[in-house]
Amino acid sequence: MSIVTVQLGQCGNQIGHEVFNTICSDVRDTHGLCSKKENESYRDASKERFFCEEQSEVPVARAVLIDMEPKVISQTLSLAARSGYWKYDDGSHFSQKQGSGNNWANGYSVHGPRHKEVIMDLVQKEAEKCDRLAGFFTIMSMAGGTGSGLGAFVTQCLRDAFPTSFLLNHVIWPYSTGEVIVQNYNSVLTLSHLYKSADALLVHENDVVHKICAQLMNIKQISFKDINQVIAHQLGSVFQPTYTAEGGLHYSRNPLGDLMETLVPHPEFKMLGLRNIPQMPENSLAYSTFSWPGLIKHLRQMLIANAKMEEGIDWQVQPPRLGSSIPSSHSTNKPLHFNTSIANLVILRGKDMHSVDLGSFQDPSLYTSWLNPKDAFHSWKTLRAFNKYEKSASLVSNSQFLLKPLDNVVGKAWNMFASKAYIHQYTKFGIEEEDFLDSFTALEQVISSYSSL
Amino acid sequence: MAPRAHYPPPQPLPDPRLSPLQWASAGTRWAAASGTWRCGSTPTSTRSGGDGPDIYKGKICSLKARALLIDMEEGVVNEILQGPLRDVFDSKQLITDVSGSGNNWAVGHKLYGSQYRENIVEKLRKAAEHCECLQCFFIIHSMGGGTGSGLGTFVLKLLEDEFPEVYRFVTSVYPSGEDDVITSPYNSVLAMKELNEHADCVLPIENESLFDIVNKIHQMANSGKLGSTVKQNSLITSSAGSAKTAQEKPFDAMNNILANLLLNLTSSARFEGSLNMDLNEITMNLVPFPRLHYLVSSLTPLYTLADVNVPSRRLDQMFSDAFSRDHQLIQADPKHSLYLACALLVRGNVQVSDLRRNIERLKPSLHFVSWNQEGWKTGLCSVPPVGHSHSLLALANNTCVKPTFIELKDRFMKLYKKKVQLIIITSVATNHEYLALLKQILVSQRSCLKVTAQDFCLCYLKKSFQWLLLKKGNLLIDLYIPGYILIVFSSELVSDRSAYQLEMD
């Protein structure tokens, strides 16, 4: 089954490009440290998912590029074409002359309705190219105007036009400071609207990825390209083909559906986080070896201590003993920041993965009480190594990991809202104070749901 | 009597990358309404005159500036038309008169406003029709005089009526304390009211600051302290380029700072970058409340570094400088005032990690308003200005603009309280009516101001800068003067009479 990627705004288009680049270069890897047959079926499955090969020689990405400003898209298109290994469809992009100016209301209430028909036509055309459509993967940021505002609008339109398809929104969480001043307003509006229409939100925080670039990838002068590459790697490690437990001998057909089924058991909880291990500079890879138990142990601790990367994990955090109702009843000085999960998915790629014991993830104390741990944990596996990493493990988790950032964003936005700063910029385009209040309420509900786990 | 706020047009920009040509070919279109004040205007963008932009031997051939040059006298505009930039303008873009506005806001705003309204609208429309996507008007004017401040703010209002969707950015040159236009506080305050209501964004500039910066650069370049790392001519002040004329006018260096300000402001719309920042994002991020739209700007680095591989310390220095008092384009100290919001527009080889490091470093020393503790907006444009490896334009919505405005108000009140009454006659049909009115005024003023027979009023006739003495019953007024004069009644001015007479020469 195929996924149609919708790239929105500067951020979405830049990341989308890196994602296709990563997938393409991974697929081009001829041996992938597995049998030839294995590698071929992996490649076919991946190509079907992300590319179509009609008349053209190189694969064409199943993507729709949307921005309200021409520079980024033209750059993205030509970069892809120049790579020589894949390209975007010449007809499946839409751009305007003037951006949304960081104004969510401009994207949502002005650009959205004005260009709805053109955009939905493009999406429709792209969807019709798929033999079987699995769903839509929308890449956008929350901070700006086009990605966030138009993104929220387009997601709604997708929901209306494709009521049975899966919608996964990949959302970039802005740096806590220094990107866009109205980013907290835009984020609150985006999240509350996406929560209504998307099936799940997969979140990457810029701050976290920045840290990964600095500490794990050892990059001195970090550019947005570096950041986007890390994000693309992590996304690829989830969306490249794998075997699910039920799928038997075939690569999973429906990556988005499987993901939702596994991780989103309740419509109130749809925030997904992604962790990946190991990550290191490419030139260090050759000198490193990893053992599965080590990787799994780290990954598990990253989950329960809510560490976003393998360095600086708090090893003190332990799951609460079953039976004790209050997690912090331990006599340690440090308060426990235990991260309760609703559902987790571990994806293993590389040799010997059959021997891996994932029992530690099935511990009932990791999960909320209302879901059977057997239903709450799943694993996908493949022998095919991913993107030059001999072994790699990814964890997609629906847990409390985003509670603090979300609370921060809502708090800061509320603080600004209380003084009515910048509100006039939104009312100018038809987003009134009441809309803000509705969004605040919706997110407070999400926060309280997640904190009561 | 030459007011100091003179801005001859900035020199043409030396490198094709910065030349107006690129402004057009980058695909983003502006129209610029340059309300020239007493002197000059800045071309802010160009449109293609033929099939495509064309450069021949470093000279722009087929491009026309997307600009409207307005002045109520002819000298400055004529100078431009004979200057090195003559090919960029044509007569269709000019609106001139012969008699000037006499440093009288009302003359510019009310009289010339209604007189030239149709003409201005028509020319604006024509310029706008050539734009694929009209994003912004830049208005460049001074506050102290008559044409720039009066007619300039009239054009601002006009733009709001005619193009309500298009952003209006105003670069205003504020008069300095020693300004020699007596009426400048009146003109400025009247213009301020218009700016408050009709502009989306105002970038106040003070001559003194520009002057200090120019001096500082000269000192740095001449002291040799920085040795070979500093080129003799900074790009910001000098225009060592193709179209440069032999003699450099004293204001050229200062004007170039302004030109660079506008270039950096629009860089992200013209060139690629990893974090675009369009013009509409500036108002969105920096204007929390509609009328608080005065942005203090600073440019760094001021000198061109010879060494392109910049060590990190020097890069960090660029960020520190942007917040220092010396680099602000008005006399203000943002560091010790309250920030409402701050934007950093970076060009060149600077990455997001450099930005973040510097924001983290500078944040503790800056005060932000409680509801906007993280009020930072950043833009990264990958193409640096010519001759630099990187550059930074900082825009701050900061309470440090207050002293400038307070000073203006004080000067206004001083003039006002001294009973220096300005009677501004804005519509007079005939000389007969005018004389009658004048007599009437003299009579009424005498009664309320106890003007004696020896008192006199100064008629400041703008065009020839002549001062005429009006004695009671003996009106020495040339009957051919235009019907607009500014009369100053004051007994206190008597003592200043000699001073004024001196200036007549």
Side-chain angles (χ1 to χ4, degrees):
Chain A
M1 280 181 129
S2 310
I3 300 173
V4 172
T5 304
V6 183
Q7 307 178 177
L8 281 147
Q10 172 162 36
C11 171
N13 280 299
Q14 286 173 343
I15 291 178
H17 171 254
E18 288 300 339
V19 171
F20 284 110
N21 240 357
T22 307
I23 287 169
C24 195
S25 78
D26 177 43
V27 169
R28 278 204 340 271
D29 193 345
T30 42
H31 56 88
L33 304 170
C34 61
S35 69
K36 203 175 167 199
K37 193 174 152 242
E38 180 74 54
N39 196 43
E40 264 169 23
S41 62
Y42 177 86
R43 195 184 60 211
D44 292 345
S46 172
K47 282 218 166 139
E48 190 201 356
R49 234 170 237 192
F50 295 102
F51 297 98
C52 49
E53 284 173 279
E54 297 164 358
Q55 301 90 359
S56 68
E57 286 165 15
V58 292
V60 180
R62 298 185 192 277
V64 180
L65 293 79
I66 303 165
D67 201 354
M68 288 299 111
E69 182 259 4
K71 290 194 299 294
V72 178
I73 285 192
S74 68
Q75 195 184 10
T76 310
L77 290 176
S78 74
L79 269 180
R82 250 186 286 154
S83 79
Y85 298 111
W86 65 281
K87 63 171 190 175
Y88 286 107
D89 188 341
D90 294 330
S92 69
H93 57 87
F94 175 74
S95 66
Q96 287 286 299
K97 294 284 174 199
Q98 185 174 23
S100 306
N102 291 161
N103 193 332
W104 191 90
N106 194 3
Y108 184 82
S109 319
V110 179
H111 289 314
R114 190 179 292 164
H115 307 301
K116 178 179 173 178
E117 234 169 85
V118 192
I119 293 172
M120 290 314 286
D121 273 357
L122 288 179
V123 173
Q124 185 76 39
K125 257 203 303 196
E126 205 57 47
E128 280 167 9
K129 279 191 214 160
C130 308
D131 291 340
R132 284 163 300 171
L133 176 69
F136 296 92
F137 183 55
T138 309
I139 308 177
M140 58 200 260
S141 80
M142 305 199 300
T146 304
S148 68
L150 188 62
F153 182 84
V154 167
T155 309
Q156 273 176 11
C157 295
L158 287 175
R159 179 44 80 223
D160 292 343
F162 303 88
T164 54
S165 294
F166 290 105
L167 300 184
L168 177 64
N169 281 58
H170 180 245
V171 180
I172 299 297
W173 203 276
Y175 285 104
S176 66
T177 175
E179 229 177 300
V180 172
I181 291 174
V182 287
Q183 64 185 29
N184 297 318
Y185 279 162
N186 291 342
S187 301
V188 165
L189 291 164
T190 309
L191 286 174
S192 63
H193 280 77
L194 287 186
Y195 228 80
K196 280 183 224 151
S197 36
D199 288 312
L201 280 68
L202 182 59
V203 176
H204 264 116
E205 294 165 79
N206 266 347
D207 278 318
V208 171
V209 184
H210 193 97
K211 243 183 176 167
I212 291 177
C213 284
Q215 295 179 19
L216 298 183
M217 310 303 283
N218 242 335
I219 303 168
K220 288 266 146 41
Q221 213 190 9
I222 300 161
S223 66
F224 274 106
K225 192 173 171 59
D226 300 320
I227 289 175
N228 294 342
Q229 274 169 350
V230 169
I231 293 173
H233 174 82
Q234 294 204 347
L235 288 175
S237 77
V238 174
F239 290 111
Q240 282 291 55
T242 51
Y243 297 103
T244 58
E246 297 82 24
L249 292 172
H250 294 286
Y251 272 114
S252 152
R253 291 281 185 192
N254 189 355
L256 289 182
D258 288 346
L259 197 76
M260 309 292 179
E261 188 191 331
T262 322
L263 290 169
V264 192
H266 190 290
E268 181 61 24
F269 302 95
K270 40 173 97 163
M271 296 280 202
L272 307 183
L274 176 49
R275 293 166 182 79
N276 183 275
I277 183 172
Q279 278 183 305
M280 55 174 57
E282 207 179 307
N283 48 16
S284 319
L285 269 179
Y287 310 103
S288 315
T289 50
F290 304 100
S291 74
W292 280 117
L295 290 178
I296 296 302
K297 194 177 166 208
H298 272 78
L299 198 60
R300 178 175 185 269
Q301 193 62 28
M302 279 160 72
L303 169 68
I304 61 177
N306 195 13
K308 307 287 166 42
M309 58 176 187
E310 58 196 279
E311 234 173 71
I313 304 174
D314 182 359
W315 288 94
Q316 302 294 320
V317 182
Q318 288 302 322
R321 269 183 232 126
L322 275 185
S324 68
S325 53
I326 311 156
S328 59
S329 60
H330 295 271
S331 58
T332 44
N333 291 335
K334 274 191 179 171
L336 280 181
H337 302 292
F338 177 70
N339 181 32
T340 311
S341 309
I342 290 174
N344 290 316
L345 165 69
V346 168
I347 300 156
L348 306 176
R349 298 173 185 275
K351 62 178 180 185
D352 304 334
M353 52 74 193
H354 290 300
S355 61
V356 180
D357 174 24
L358 289 169
S360 60
F361 277 99
Q362 279 154 341
D363 182 353
S365 60
L366 297 183
Y367 299 96
T368 164
S369 56
W370 47 262
L371 206 64
N372 186 342
K374 271 188 188 146
D375 299 326
F377 177 73
H378 292 82
S379 62
W380 298 349
K381 297 170 185 175
T382 176
L383 276 170
R384 170 65 157 72
F386 173 67
N387 212 8
K388 303 188 186 76
Y389 285 83
E390 178 199 38
K391 290 170 187 151
S392 70
S394 310
L395 169 75
V396 191
S397 144
N398 186 349
S399 67
Q400 293 176 316
F401 80 107
L402 212 60
L403 209 46
K404 218 175 127 204
L406 184 60
D407 205 36
N408 274 340
V409 163
V410 174
K412 282 181 206 164
W414 182 257
N415 197 7
M416 201 182 255
F417 185 73
S419 64
K420 300 269 185 288
Y422 295 103
I423 299 295
H424 72 282
Q425 310 269 24
Y426 291 84
T427 48
K428 200 161 68 183
F429 295 112
I431 295 295
E432 304 295 332
E433 280 179 37
E434 268 171 41
D435 300 308
F436 274 95
L437 287 173
D438 289 347
S439 295
F440 279 119
T441 321
L443 291 190
E444 288 293 350
Q445 181 59 43
V446 174
I447 292 175
S448 90
S449 301
Y450 267 104
S451 7
S452 66
L453 284 180
Chain B
M1 198 187 84
R4 285 183 61 206
H6 274 195
Y7 279 86
Q11 287 294 311
L13 296 142
D15 185 278
R17 270 193 296 173
L18 280 182
S19 72
L21 158 76
Q22 279 294 330
W23 295 45
S25 62
T28 315
R29 314 285 170 174
W30 293 274
S34 310
T36 56
W37 50 109
R38 303 259 317 131
C39 270
S41 77
T42 308
T44 50
S45 176
T46 59
R47 69 187 146 80
S48 172
D51 291 325
D54 195 8
I55 287 192
Y56 178 69
K57 286 183 183 169
K59 277 184 99 174
I60 303 154
C61 301
S62 62
L63 288 178
K64 289 291 171 202
R66 182 172 289 117
L68 191 56
L69 281 68
I70 305 174
D71 201 353
M72 290 299 109
E73 56 178 45
E74 286 174 318
V76 181
V77 173
N78 283 342
E79 218 171 282
I80 296 173
L81 290 183
Q82 283 152 21
L85 275 180
R86 60 182 170 270
D87 294 337
V88 174
F89 302 103
D90 65 43
S91 55
K92 286 179 219 142
Q93 300 166 283
L94 309 178
I95 296 176
T96 52
D97 201 309
V98 285
S99 43
S101 303
N103 287 334
N104 187 336
W105 185 87
V107 171
H109 198 83
K110 303 282 183 195
L111 169 76
Y112 287 133
S114 52
Q115 191 176 331
Y116 283 95
R117 189 193 155 100
E118 295 306 315
N119 194 351
I120 294 172
V121 169
E122 195 199 314
K123 290 199 162 127
L124 282 173
R125 286 234 181 89
K126 276 216 177 107
E129 274 166 18
H130 286 285
C131 305
E132 270 177 71
C133 174
L134 180 57
Q135 298 201 9
C136 184
F137 289 105
F138 284 133
I139 296 179
I140 306 158
H141 73 148
S142 78
M143 300 289 280
T147 306
S149 110
L151 192 54
T153 49
F154 178 82
V155 171
L156 180 66
K157 174 84 178 29
L158 205 61
L159 289 173
E160 192 185 33
D161 295 342
E162 299 289 325
F163 306 89
E165 307 258 289
V166 183
Y167 285 92
R168 295 169 300 279
F169 278 46
V170 186
T171 311
S172 301
V173 180
Y174 277 72
S176 60
E178 302 116 50
D179 194 85
D180 43 13
V181 179
I182 315 172
T183 49
S184 77
Y186 286 136
N187 295 335
S188 306
V189 167
L190 288 163
M192 277 283 282
K193 179 179 170 277
E194 302 293 315
L195 291 185
N196 266 344
E197 284 170 11
H198 307 300
D200 287 303
C201 217
V202 180
L203 305 170
I205 311 285
E206 277 182 302
N207 275 333
E208 277 161 292
S209 302
L210 299 183
F211 191 70
D212 291 348
I213 289 172
V214 170
N215 274 349
K216 204 173 160 226
I217 295 166
H218 281 295
Q219 263 173 24
M220 271 198 292
N222 296 332
S223 69
K225 209 162 102 193
L226 287 145
S228 59
T229 59
V230 178
K231 286 180 195 160
Q232 279 299 308
N233 271 332
S234 151
L235 190 84
I236 286 195
T237 59
S238 155
S239 51
S242 50
K244 191 178 160 188
T245 43
Q247 78 276 24
E248 206 164 277
K249 295 183 207 80
F251 289 110
D252 283 354
M254 287 156 77
N255 285 340
N256 258 315
I257 299 180
L258 226 80
N260 272 282
L261 167 72
L262 293 178
L263 286 177
N264 279 351
L265 198 67
T266 54
S267 59
S268 195
R270 294 178 288 135
F271 304 112
E272 287 173 354
S274 58
L275 194 58
N276 280 334
M277 181 165 174
D278 280 353
L279 286 165
N280 49 6
E281 292 174 27
I282 293 174
T283 40
M284 181 67 197
N285 284 284
L286 293 177
V287 184
F289 301 101
R291 290 185 169 207
L292 303 184
H293 55 228
Y294 293 87
L295 307 181
V296 179
S297 39
S298 65
L299 284 165
T300 54
L302 292 175
Y303 49 84
T304 315
L305 294 164
D307 184 9
V308 177
N309 295 316
V310 194
S312 171
R313 194 197 67 80
R314 195 153 274 160
L315 182 67
D316 289 6
Q317 188 63 39
M318 174 176 88
F319 284 92
S320 306
D321 284 349
F323 293 88
S324 83
R325 207 193 158 94
D326 305 338
H327 287 73
Q328 308 303 320
L329 299 190
I330 65 167
Q331 303 276 321
D333 188 5
K335 235 175 172 168
H336 296 101
S337 311
L338 188 69
Y339 274 92
L340 297 178
C342 182
L344 302 175
L345 287 82
V346 189
R347 299 179 63 180
N349 179 26
V350 181
Q351 296 301 342
V352 59
S353 54
D354 303 317
L355 258 178
R356 307 207 59 74
R357 183 181 67 246
N358 279 292
I359 288 179
E360 290 303 321
R361 188 170 60 85
L362 291 162
K363 224 167 100 182
S365 60
L366 306 171
H367 312 286
F368 274 80
V369 69
S370 66
W371 44 261
N372 205 7
Q373 285 290 312
E374 278 146 3
W376 294 88
K377 162 75 188 167
T378 49
L380 287 173
C381 171
S382 45
V383 180
V386 184
H388 292 233
S389 61
H390 45 45
S391 81
L392 168 66
L393 165 65
L395 296 173
N397 195 338
N398 189 298
T399 55
C400 69
V401 288
K402 220 169 82 179
T404 304
F405 295 163
I406 288 178
E407 198 198 309
L408 198 61
K409 193 185 113 201
D410 289 348
R411 288 176 54 213
F412 174 87
M413 289 315 288
K414 214 165 107 193
L415 221 58
Y416 198 69
K417 274 184 190 152
K418 260 181 159 178
K419 301 243 167 23
V420 180
Q421 294 286 336
L422 296 177
I423 294 161
I424 296 156
I425 307 167
T426 50
S427 67
V428 180
T430 67
N431 287 324
H432 284 295
E433 278 179 37
Y434 159 67
L435 282 174
L437 189 60
L438 200 61
K439 276 179 193 158
Q440 199 186 336
I441 290 163
L442 280 168
V443 171
S444 66
Q445 287 300 312
R446 189 171 47 206
S447 58
C448 69
L449 287 175
K450 297 194 176 73
V451 181
T452 65
Q454 283 74 41
D455 282 351
F456 62 92
C457 66
L458 290 163
C459 277
Y460 173 24
L461 300 181
K462 49 141 319 280
K463 197 204 165 184
S464 54
F465 295 105
Q466 275 179 326
W467 294 88
L468 293 183
L469 291 179
L470 277 179
K471 283 195 176 155
K472 189 194 162 210
N474 185 15
L475 292 167
L476 301 172
I477 293 183
D478 181 353
L479 286 178
Y480 293 102
I481 57 165
Y484 308 97
I485 57 166
L486 177 81
I487 311 168
V488 182
F489 292 93
S490 172
S491 46
E492 276 147 278
L493 279 176
V494 181
S495 56
D496 293 330
R497 200 172 116 200
S498 52
Y500 286 121
Q501 276 173 336
L502 274 179
E503 278 185 9
M504 282 166 57
D505 310 327

